[in-house]
Amino acid sequence: MKNIVVTGGSGKAGRAVCRGLVEHGYSVLNVDVQASRDPVCPFYKVDLNDLGQVIDALQWSGGKDHPFRKFRTPDAVVHLAAIPAPDLMPDDVIFRNNVVTTYNVFDAAIRVGVKRIVWASSETTLGLPFSPSNPPSYAPIDEDHPMRPESAYSLSKDLGEEMARQMQRWNPETTFIGLRLSNVMEPSDYDRFSSWQDDPHVREWNCWGYIDARDCAQAVRKALQVDLVGADHFIIANADTVMEQGSAELMKTVFPDVQFKREIKGRETLLSIDKARHVLGYEPEFNFGRI
């Protein structure tokens, strides 16, 4: 499985994913509405709201002059494209864009014969933003935590997971792997972490979680490689939090009534990555103490 189309390859996570795939020997085509500032692979400008354009991006017929295309049909699709957070645009625009583009990518991939789709779901499906008045149901939060979308953005991701389940049911030979990505950080973002240390409430909204973009790229590669057929989803976060304070102490300070499912040690993540470790073989390599 070496030929990969990445949608949204010009975005924050997408740039790291494209670079990581290329560095590991994959042939990659970045499908986005704008070129990447880190152009490590060919770029194809596509409006994912147009199903015809998506099908064209995923498969082309011979006899055309597409020197930038290294393959006709991809072995897999990595779907990262989306309006990436709440409040960037009106809710209806975010919802419509994210739901329609996800449907179009899933549908087009199946139409052209792609059997594996790895895509970006979100930690926000789990109830974010958390606060003392809207705490998580328990900690560490895992994939069994209730789905509680609190915005048009998180609802679009929740429905994306349902689309994946149903479209996989219609096409039982396919694999859909949804990665519930935490807040994506690049190395340059680590400079901001020091400003959060004096107030645990600043980052309470996602239980102080994050994902280094390079570890996001690792998770995508592991999802492409894992021996799995079906539709599944995984929380993808770093192994630690953005805070220097211990995680159990943070929970007792901000969410004192939330029960622990197990012992919390040191600064370990409160967004459990146990399932990703066990099934995908994912193991974070980067954190804000080791850039």
Side-chain angles (χ1 to χ4, degrees), residues 138-153:
Y138 54 79
I141 300 162
D142 58 20
E143 287 79 2
D144 293 328
H145 189 277
M147 298 284 277
R148 296 186 343 219
E150 300 287 353
S151 67
Y153 170 79

Side-chain angles (χ1 to χ4, degrees), residues 118-139:
V118 176
W119 67 286
S121 184
S122 171
E123 64 180 0
T124 63
T125 60
L126 299 168
L128 279 61
F130 295 128
S131 68
S133 61
N134 181 43
S137 298
Y138 54 79

Side-chain angles (χ1 to χ4, degrees), residues 129-249:
F130 295 128
S131 68
S133 61
N134 181 43
S137 298
Y138 54 79
I141 300 162
D142 58 20
E143 287 79 2
D144 293 328
H145 189 277
M147 298 284 277
R148 296 186 343 219
E150 300 287 353
S151 67
Y153 170 79
S154 56
L155 182 58
S156 76
K157 294 296 186 177
D158 188 349
L159 295 178
E161 292 195 9
E162 184 62 21
M163 278 193 282
R165 282 189 287 270
Q166 299 304 331
M167 295 175 88
Q168 196 283 327
R169 181 175 63 85
W170 302 341
N171 302 274
E173 75 283 1
T174 59
T175 298
F176 288 77
I177 298 179
L179 304 179
R180 293 178 178 172
L181 300 178
S182 190
N183 188 200
V184 179
M185 301 288 182
E186 295 176 310
S188 60
D189 292 317
Y190 289 129
D191 291 340
R192 297 186 290 142
F193 283 31
S194 61
S195 67
W196 302 332
Q197 301 308 314
D198 294 335
D199 185 358
H201 293 284
V202 173
R203 299 284 302 187
E204 67 187 15
W205 56 272
N206 75 338
C207 285
W208 309 279
Y210 75 107
I211 175 67
D212 188 292
R214 296 163 292 183
D215 283 322
C216 176
Q218 180 210 153
V220 167
R221 293 195 307 273
K222 295 295 177 63
L224 290 171
Q225 298 164 359
V226 67
D227 183 10
L228 186 155
V229 176
D232 210 343
H233 48 267
F234 301 86
I235 293 172
I236 302 297
N238 268 70
D240 59 346
T241 73
V242 302
M243 303 295 284
E244 295 172 359
Q245 191 174 2
S247 299
E249 185 179 351

Side-chain angles (χ1 to χ4, degrees), residues 69-85:
R69 300 196 67 144
K70 306 302 182 185
F71 50 86
R72 176 169 296 187
T73 303
D75 297 313
V77 173
V78 176
H79 176 46
L80 306 176
I83 297 172

